[in-house]
Amino acid sequence: MSSIKIIGGNKIKGEVLISGAKNSSMPIIIASILTNEQSILSNVPYVSDVTTLISLLTGAGSHITVIGEGGISKSLKIQTKNLNFDGEISLEASKIRASILLVGPALARNGHVKLLKPGGCNIGERKIDIHISGMKALGAEIIENNNYLELTTNGKKLKGAVIEMPSVSVGATENLLMAASLAEGETILKNVAIEPEIMDLIDFLNKMGAKITQEGERIFKIIGVDSLSGVSHEIIPDRIEGLTYGMLACATGGEVVLKNISRKYLGGGFEEIEKCGIAFEDLPSDYKFGSVRCYLKTGKINPISIETGAFPGFATDLQPQLSVLMLLAGGTSKITENIFENRFQHITYLEKMGANIAFEDSKTIVIHNSSELNGSVVEGTDLRACAALIMVGLIAKGETILRNAESVDRGYYHFVKNIANCGGKISRV
Ligand code: EPZ
């Protein structure tokens, strides 16, 4: 178990190179197995979720070459001539939630998949009922195994269908987009998620030869094709990483220039964060995706009240970080977490450090201005909670030790190094 030591009090000032989006890379790397031709993906963040996925797919028969470039993001050459998911997927599959996304492509390609049941994780039960009912609607059937997830198409091709998802799910939308791309006939998906990472996946699939169109705000139509081709694709920048650094720097009274990202890639929360008093100003840039400066407009942080929700709502992946920023706001804020049932685990540690926070109910916290924050020993529970606890360690008095800090590496590459380079007193212990 690795720990991170933070000494509070320094302003974070400098620049950070933002990597490609983790939550775009995962589905797109998996979508590349829908063809036996080679694809080349660039701006792929080399975070541990991605390296775990690379070793998992290599174990299932993919040939993946990692080409190092610019350090934080890499290019991947992927070719999957033979794909063998009939066996048990290594234990690695249960390490990453995104392994559930292998179901659609494996059924489309092999007509069969057998996975160790993808683990839930700290932030919630992470159900997969919408994934499964969607695959059944496309003609797959589940083979009841106690601790495996096994589905088969009984030797037939998946068949297009009209599928209305009971609630908006990023992963289920991605899974069904991939499965329907190679199904026979037309599929209509209703009540879909429309995160930028999903639009990036659709862009990649259509480049491969899929026929996916958006027929309404939350309606996708997919006309199945016989085969898909290998293509090149550059992953969009990581909006969650960018907004995390923006809030973190401003919470310390500093500012940060984010490189290889710009305002238009910051969707899903940055308007609300602007209301807190943080400015996002695009700068001239020699980076493909631009540069943006994040700074406090008036030096003050304003209280806001938000509810997390599916895009274009406020991203749940920014909720822990916002809860820390609101400790410094001049007034009372309110945050309601609608997406995951257990994503407030960082609150007990904020309270331990002196935060004045109350639960209005299990989904809603009320945050009061908390000027007396003192360093403490705290535990990381999930990758965004780790980012939030590092953020509060940077503004608290004295020393904070974040234990179980490895989950920060799942979603942020060089997080400690970037913060240290911008003046933060932070190190791994
Ligand atoms: C994706 O998770 C992201 N992960 C999450 O990012 C993100 O928080 C989440 O979308 C919401 O935006 C990746 O893209 C790899 P969901 P996913 O299916 O697909 C329920 C991070 O920090 N649900 O949209 O698992 C589910 O329990 C991670 O980078 C069902 O009930 O999220 C949850 O309450 C955390 N049945 C809600 O829907 C299902 O079949 C949203 O889940 C599927 C989901």
Side-chain angles (χ1 to χ4, degrees):
M1 293 296 168
S2 76
S3 294
I4 292 175
K5 182 167 82 171
I6 306 120
I7 309 285
N10 287 14
K11 285 188 187 325
I12 299 299
K13 288 175 84 87
E15 49 186 47
V16 174
L17 179 61
I18 297 300
S19 61
K22 166 179 88 80
N23 293 348
S24 183
S25 305
M26 305 295 275
I28 287 177
I29 290 169
I30 292 172
S32 74
I33 69 175
L34 286 163
T35 175
N36 55 18
E37 294 180 8
Q38 177 179 277
S39 286
I40 299 179
L41 306 178
S42 53
N43 201 32
V44 177
Y46 213 54
V47 292
S48 60
D49 269 9
V50 168
T51 53
T52 303
L53 180 59
I54 288 172
S55 61
L56 168 61
L57 287 177
T58 306
S62 296
H63 290 279
I64 303 178
T65 314
V66 179
I67 308 156
E69 87 199 12
I72 66 160
S73 290
K74 313 276 182 189
S75 287
L76 305 182
K77 271 189 190 165
I78 304 178
Q79 181 156 23
T80 309
K81 288 206 173 87
N82 304 300
L83 181 72
N84 176 12
F85 278 138
D86 291 358
E88 296 163 22
I89 294 289
S90 70
L91 214 52
E92 314 228 357
S94 58
K95 259 193 216 164
I96 46 172
R97 158 82 185 160
S99 59
I100 183 67
L101 298 179
L102 297 166
V103 168
L107 287 174
R109 181 169 170 151
N110 289 353
H112 178 244
V113 63
K114 181 176 180 181
L115 282 171
L116 288 176
K117 274 202 174 112
C121 77
N122 287 302
I123 58 179
E125 190 195 341
R126 312 303 291 271
K127 293 185 290 198
I128 57 170
D129 55 313
I130 305 174
H131 295 253
I132 300 306
S133 55
M135 295 303 160
K136 286 180 173 171
L138 294 175
E141 70 176 50
I142 198 158
I143 300 170
E144 286 311 333
N145 275 301
N146 41 20
N147 58 354
Y148 293 124
L149 176 63
E150 188 171 8
L151 290 98
T152 177
T153 63
N154 296 313
K156 298 195 285 296
K157 274 188 85 169
L158 292 171
K159 264 181 82 47
V162 176
I163 301 170
E164 171 124 28
M165 289 190 262
S167 64
V168 174
S169 159
V170 170
T173 302
E174 291 164 344
N175 227 338
L176 293 168
L177 278 167
M178 293 188 279
S181 293
L182 287 176
E184 219 162 75
E186 181 178 292
T187 296
I188 301 287
L189 295 183
K190 295 182 179 176
N191 202 20
V192 297
I194 52 173
E195 270 68 2
E197 294 77 26
I198 292 194
M199 308 320 272
D200 200 24
L201 171 64
I202 290 173
D203 183 17
F204 178 67
L205 288 167
N206 282 342
K207 272 191 208 171
M208 293 174 83
K211 292 188 170 53
I212 303 171
T213 50
Q214 188 166 8
E215 302 295 316
E217 200 217 348
R218 289 192 185 276
I219 301 174
F220 292 140
K221 178 168 80 172
I222 306 103
I223 299 171
V225 295
D226 289 337
S227 65
L228 295 169
S229 314
V231 295
S232 295
H233 184 79
E234 184 151 20
I235 302 289
I236 58 170
D238 194 320
R239 60 196 170 100
I240 305 300
E241 187 188 16
L243 290 165
T244 300
Y245 282 112
M247 285 194 269
L248 179 145
C250 292
T252 66
E255 63 171 74
V256 66
V257 172
L258 307 175
K259 297 189 293 185
N260 209 23
I261 192 167
S262 54
R263 276 176 69 91
K264 72 175 185 175
Y265 292 104
L266 290 173
F270 98 104
E271 293 91 348
E272 290 86 348
I273 296 169
E274 279 189 317
K275 286 199 195 100
C276 298
I278 293 178
F280 297 90
E281 183 188 319
D282 281 343
L283 301 175
S285 169
D286 45 14
Y287 284 89
K288 169 179 171 110
F289 292 110
S291 296
V292 58
R293 180 174 164 243
C294 309
Y295 61 96
L296 283 175
K297 277 180 262 194
T298 63
K300 273 188 329 77
I301 292 169
N302 313 316
I304 59 167
S305 291
I306 61 109
E307 300 213 8
T308 66
F311 190 89
F314 192 92
T316 172
D317 294 347
L318 295 169
Q319 176 263 102
Q321 302 89 312
L322 180 71
S323 66
V324 171
L325 187 69
M326 289 299 97
L327 298 175
L328 306 171
T332 299
S333 314
K334 196 182 271 196
I335 297 178
T336 298
E337 172 56 64
N338 290 319
I339 303 291
F340 290 111
E341 63 275 23
N342 190 23
R343 200 169 205 172
F344 281 136
Q345 294 178 87
H346 54 293
I347 299 298
T348 46
Y349 298 111
L350 298 185
E351 288 173 322
K352 187 178 173 186
M353 296 172 75
N356 183 353
I357 297 177
F359 276 86
E360 188 171 280
D361 58 42
S362 65
K363 290 171 60 171
T364 302
I365 51 173
V366 178
I367 304 162
H368 302 283
N369 180 279
S370 308
S371 49
E372 280 303 305
L373 293 166
N374 298 297
S376 177
V377 177
V378 295
E379 301 281 331
T381 50
D382 72 280
L383 74 110
R384 309 301 172 184
C386 279
L389 291 170
I390 289 170
M391 203 168 143
V392 71
L394 290 166
I395 57 179
K397 280 194 199 66
E399 178 181 285
T400 294
I401 300 286
L402 171 63
R403 302 203 319 213
N404 299 330
E406 53 283 337
S407 48
V408 80
D409 302 321
R410 287 187 43 215
Y412 298 96
Y413 195 79
H414 285 172
F415 199 61
V416 171
K417 200 167 135 197
N418 283 334
I419 294 171
N421 288 346
C422 292
K425 276 196 188 153
I426 181 170
S427 57
R428 287 194 188 272
V429 291

